[in-house]
Amino acid sequence: MTPDRLAKWRPAETLPAITGAAAAFLSVAGAKVVLHSPMWCAAITEMRLEAWGIPCEWLFSTFVEENDLFFGGEEALRQTLLEARVAKGEALLGVAVNCAPGLIGDDVRGICTAFAPGVPVAVAEAGGFTGEFDDGYGKAFLAVLEALRPVPCPPTPGTVNLIGFSPLEEHAAENLAEIKRQLFRRGIEVHLTFGAPGTTVESIREAGRAALNVVLHKGRGQGIAAWLKEHLGQPLLSAPLSAAVDEKSGQLDAIEAALRMEKRR
């Protein structure tokens, strides 16, 4: 096959960081998500998410305009928070900051914290210059962890967290259900799956319950697992989802062996 000499100049085929950040934030049950971005960036992000079946009822945008690029988009952000009715008691406020607002230097966290005291605020830089889908996803969940601050707790033997899952992949839901089924057959409980729709704030705050973190996708999950290891002391093991669903791959055996080792400590 003849190499495409113009490949590097063609539009990217992968999803951008803002889509990854939005997907991560929206996976948290009860979260309200704001894209601090121009209209078309937000519209394209929403279309991509909905094409994969991700509900976008609680996805909003500041619709940053030309004037905001000169004078700042802070007022647009305040107006969006008002319209979205972000108030005390919300599970989480996730804000993905796109290219232009990221360059302006708006005090996004300060505005969000002042507008809704008591609401956990997670802010992720997710402009086109910051990387691709996996980068935005990872930054968003790191921001979520910083906002919710899970604390160390006695781990439950035989329990794991699955890290790096994304529903924006072919057969993702089926593969996740299969690995959970196979783990259950081995007596292994899944406490938390980062990225799975409907993930509760409480389960993230109690992430330390798991005796082992299993990284299903290195690009999306390695940074999250490293954060959990540093702050909660949890060990980690890489087991790519596509391989883990195949019992012959040995990935499930490795998870079981790692849990046995932790139990002996």
Side-chain angles (χ1 to χ4, degrees):
M1 184 176 180
T2 304
D4 183 356
R5 295 181 179 179
L6 299 177
K8 70 176 183 177
W9 305 114
R10 300 190 190 282
E13 296 181 1
T14 57
L15 295 172
I18 194 169
T19 308
F25 287 143
L26 287 170
S27 72
V28 179
K32 287 187 175 178
V33 182
V34 174
L35 305 180
H36 193 28
S37 73
M39 178 178 68
W40 288 112
C41 298
I44 292 170
T45 299
E46 183 178 42
M47 287 189 289
R48 284 166 169 158
L49 292 170
E50 289 183 333
W52 284 94
I54 307 297
C56 293
E57 179 183 1
W58 300 115
L59 179 66
F60 306 92
S61 173
T62 56
F63 298 134
V64 170
E65 298 181 344
E66 289 88 345
N67 284 344
D68 300 319
L69 302 183
F70 291 98
F71 303 108
E74 295 185 354
E75 185 55 38
L77 178 57
R78 290 189 189 94
Q79 193 62 36
T80 302
L81 296 174
L82 179 65
E83 294 290 336
R85 298 184 180 180
V86 178
K88 188 174 182 178
E90 303 285 1
L92 177 77
L93 172 60
V95 184
V97 182
N98 205 2
C99 309
L103 295 172
I104 295 169
D106 291 337
D107 182 14
V108 175
R109 183 179 302 281
I111 291 170
C112 293
T113 302
F115 192 93
V119 177
V121 175
V123 179
E125 293 287 340
F129 304 120
T130 65
E132 300 177 352
F133 180 94
D134 294 349
D135 301 290
Y137 175 106
K139 288 179 180 179
F141 266 124
L142 288 176
V144 169
L145 289 170
E146 290 290 348
L148 300 180
R149 302 302 299 182
V151 296
C153 61
T156 303
T159 303
V160 300
N161 292 325
L162 302 180
I163 303 178
F165 172 78
S166 169
L168 277 74
E169 289 184 333
E170 293 290 342
H171 310 299
E174 295 93 330
N175 286 342
L176 179 63
E178 177 61 18
I179 191 174
K180 284 185 173 182
R181 184 187 70 81
Q182 293 186 29
L183 289 171
F184 179 78
R185 286 177 55 194
R186 294 170 179 246
I188 299 171
E189 176 189 351
V190 176
H191 165 66
L192 164 65
T193 302
F194 281 86
T199 299
T200 66
V201 163
E202 291 74 19
S203 68
I204 297 174
R205 285 194 169 120
E206 296 175 357
R209 281 187 50 201
L212 177 69
N213 288 322
V214 179
V215 179
L216 300 178
H217 187 284
K218 186 175 181 180
R220 290 191 294 267
Q222 195 69 25
I224 300 167
W227 190 100
L228 292 169
K229 184 176 183 180
E230 178 183 350
H231 291 83
L232 305 185
Q234 291 171 304
L236 61 95
L237 175 72
S238 180
L241 181 59
S242 56
V245 295
D246 180 4
E247 288 192 83
K248 296 178 181 179
S249 70
Q251 299 284 1
L252 294 172
D253 294 333
I255 294 172
E256 198 168 20
L259 285 170
R260 282 198 301 268
M261 188 178 299
E262 288 303 312
K263 193 174 181 180
R264 295 193 196 104
R265 293 183 178 180

